[in-house]
Amino acid sequence: MEFPRPLAAPLVVLPIALMQSAVRLMFKSLLKRHPMLFERLGEHKGKRYAFRPTDLPLVFLVEPARPAISLMREPADPRADAVVEGPLFRLLALLEGRCDADALFFSRELTVVGDMEAMLALRNALDGMAIDLPRDLGDAAGPLAPVASRMAAAIRRRALSGETGSWS
């Protein structure tokens, strides 16, 4: 499922600083629940990873060594060591380990450019982390956590309907 165009359209005009604040809050919440995530990257911890959702006008740049995340508008050049492109919900499903990355790559639903070893290290670091975005990011919603988690879980179910595979 692609991100709905009517919801993506405002991202062109929303202040990048506002969106980046929200993204950083979610990133911080995720790292709080999974503090060892980037330690599993080994020698690739110093690499920069870009994620380009093909259905959003945004690029996310993750720098595990700092750890930090940056948000920029397309067609930004994030100067990353490895870049993954694909629909937003696919990228999020990969983060959670809910899709087979190899199958998506070979079916051309995902494009990977740059340091393939670094990307494989990231994939292996994510594997077994038990990331559950609705649960993990619910913390950032404070007292609205139960409602936010339920809404996010419903969106995920709809976006990934019928896709329950995992990485091997």
Side-chain angles (χ1 to χ4, degrees):
M1 174 180 176
E2 286 197 13
F3 196 83
R5 288 185 193 268
L7 296 178
L11 299 178
V12 174
V13 295
L14 274 174
I16 199 80
L18 177 67
M19 292 185 291
Q20 183 149 299
S21 293
V23 167
R24 285 183 176 159
L25 180 65
M26 289 185 268
F27 186 71
K28 183 179 176 182
S29 179
L30 184 67
L31 289 180
K32 182 178 176 184
R33 291 197 57 112
H34 303 281
M36 298 305 294
L37 173 63
F38 293 138
E39 298 308 315
R40 298 177 71 185
L41 286 173
E43 68 186 76
H44 300 287
K45 185 177 179 180
K47 304 286 174 84
R48 294 162 49 110
Y49 300 85
F51 300 89
R52 291 181 181 264
T54 54
D55 47 0
L56 294 181
L58 302 170
V59 178
F60 299 85
L61 180 67
V62 176
E63 298 176 76
R66 289 177 50 196
I69 189 167
S70 303
L71 182 65
M72 55 200 83
R73 284 200 171 86
E74 279 285 350
D77 177 12
R79 302 196 194 289
D81 296 289
V83 181
V84 180
E85 293 182 4
L88 177 66
F89 291 121
R90 290 270 192 247
L91 296 174
L92 295 175
L94 288 172
L95 175 64
E96 291 184 310
R98 292 183 178 274
C99 291
D100 183 334
D102 294 333
L104 293 175
F105 175 76
F106 288 114
S107 70
R108 299 176 194 230
E109 290 185 58
L110 287 181
T111 303
V112 180
V113 179
D115 188 336
M116 295 299 269
E117 283 186 38
M119 194 53 69
L120 183 58
L122 180 61
R123 180 186 130 174
N124 290 338
L126 291 170
D127 199 21
M129 289 302 296
I131 294 173
D132 181 325
L133 290 174
R135 179 198 68 210
D136 295 347
L137 299 179
D139 289 348
L144 298 175
V147 173
S149 293
R150 279 195 305 274
M151 283 178 35
I155 291 168
R156 178 179 62 198
R157 269 192 309 278
R158 184 167 180 200
L160 301 177
S161 60
E163 297 175 22
T164 58
S166 63
W167 289 342
S168 303

